Amino acid sequence: MNIAIVGYGKMGKVIHELLTARGHKISFIIDQDNRDQLSELNGDNTDVAIEFSRPESAFANITSCISHGVKVVSGTTGWLDRLSEIEALVNETQGTFFYASNYSLGVNLFFKLNRQLATLMDAQDYEISMTEIHHTEKLDQPSGTAITLADGILEKNQAKTDWINEESTDNTKLSIISERKPNVPGTHTVSYTSAEDTIEITHTANSRKGFALGAVKVAEWINDQNGMLDMDDFLKI
């Protein structure tokens, strides 16, 4: 396949290594220094673009690719307030867009576990909170993975009505504490605490390779797909 890499930070470089090892051709590498080349991507020279860029660039990157007939796999977080516009563009152009806040198989199983635990703990006398730790280069807070976890809790547990990215004395708010430390790929912990005990579930990423490999596998799969897609479609869970 001809695959473009849009965003060439640490994740983009790992994706590049995996694509090459799996026999794919890199049609373009687009980063901040050559964003003007983004308009050169089209359905003739590129099958799929894997987009891991920055929150302020993601919407424009995705829009350009879809408008030029290129399918997009995106993992950039911090821009989803404009997701409905991408959905409208996909419908208008009969394009293809795949989004996940996290491409790790383990994390997506963790999402399911989180929702199940939130269901089991509904109406129990436990305070719910969350912490997420990432590398210091990560710009957005909380992480997209943390937001997905929070949304799962809010859907399945009536104790919380919204999340907030700080400690809170409002019992209706789900507190998410974000920490940034050197060389941490990502750790997420959901805690249920009472006077008697604490129940916690944690996912710890040991490297970026799991995230990158998931994105590459999705890019290989999406070549035969159309429309708005996510990890549930890919994993069939």
Side-chain angles (χ1 to χ4, degrees):
M1 292 173 58
N2 294 321
I3 300 179
I5 300 171
V6 181
Y8 204 59
K10 292 181 179 179
M11 183 67 77
K13 291 179 174 64
V14 178
I15 288 170
H16 189 176
E17 292 175 7
L18 290 171
L19 288 172
T20 301
R22 294 168 76 89
H24 297 294
K25 178 182 176 182
I26 311 301
S27 60
F28 290 87
I29 296 175
I30 304 294
D31 204 18
Q32 289 179 311
D33 296 335
N34 66 331
R35 287 197 71 238
D36 56 308
Q37 284 190 273
L38 189 65
S39 60
E40 298 178 25
L41 275 69
N42 59 61
D44 293 328
N45 57 39
T46 302
D47 299 306
V48 179
I50 301 180
E51 197 272 345
F52 278 78
S53 62
R54 299 165 67 92
E56 65 271 20
S57 306
F59 179 78
N61 293 341
I62 295 163
T63 299
S64 179
C65 290
I66 294 174
S67 298
H68 288 89
V70 177
K71 299 182 178 188
V72 178
V73 171
S74 176
T76 307
T77 58
W79 66 275
L80 293 186
D81 56 325
R82 305 193 71 178
L83 183 61
S84 61
E85 296 176 61
I86 296 299
E87 184 172 8
L89 179 62
V90 167
N91 292 335
E92 177 187 339
T93 61
Q94 297 185 323
T96 305
F97 177 69
F98 189 110
Y99 178 78
S101 61
N102 195 306
Y103 282 83
S104 161
L105 173 60
V107 165
N108 282 277
L109 295 174
F110 189 64
F111 288 155
K112 296 295 182 182
L113 177 62
N114 172 65
R115 290 162 63 90
Q116 180 65 20
L117 181 58
T119 300
L120 292 171
M121 298 299 287
D122 193 24
Q124 303 298 324
D125 191 19
Y126 283 78
E127 175 58 28
I128 315 169
S129 61
M130 190 190 312
T131 60
E132 60 98 354
I133 308 171
H134 279 87
H135 51 87
T136 52
E137 294 89 350
K138 186 168 181 59
L139 299 178
D140 54 316
Q141 293 186 186
S143 68
T145 300
I147 293 173
T148 301
L149 289 166
D151 288 344
I153 293 168
L154 296 178
E155 180 183 344
K156 297 297 184 179
N157 194 295
Q158 298 180 37
K160 303 296 182 182
T161 60
D162 201 359
W163 60 264
I164 187 169
N165 192 208
E166 59 186 24
E167 292 187 13
S168 176
T169 57
D170 184 344
N171 290 335
T172 68
K173 304 290 187 183
L174 171 61
S175 175
I176 304 175
I177 304 302
S178 297
E179 300 179 30
R180 296 294 176 262
K181 299 180 179 180
N183 303 315
V184 178
T187 300
H188 296 82
T189 298
V190 179
S191 302
Y192 290 80
T193 304
S194 73
E196 291 75 30
D197 57 15
T198 298
I199 300 170
E200 292 185 335
I201 56 173
T202 298
H203 179 275
T204 301
N206 297 324
S207 74
R208 291 183 175 85
K209 189 172 182 180
F211 308 137
L213 182 59
V216 169
K217 288 184 174 181
V218 167
E220 293 168 343
W221 171 81
I222 204 178
N223 197 40
D224 298 320
Q225 310 298 319
N226 288 101
M228 294 287 293
L229 301 161
D230 59 25
M231 287 300 285
D232 281 354
D233 298 304
F234 177 63
L235 296 173
K236 298 294 189 292
I237 58 176

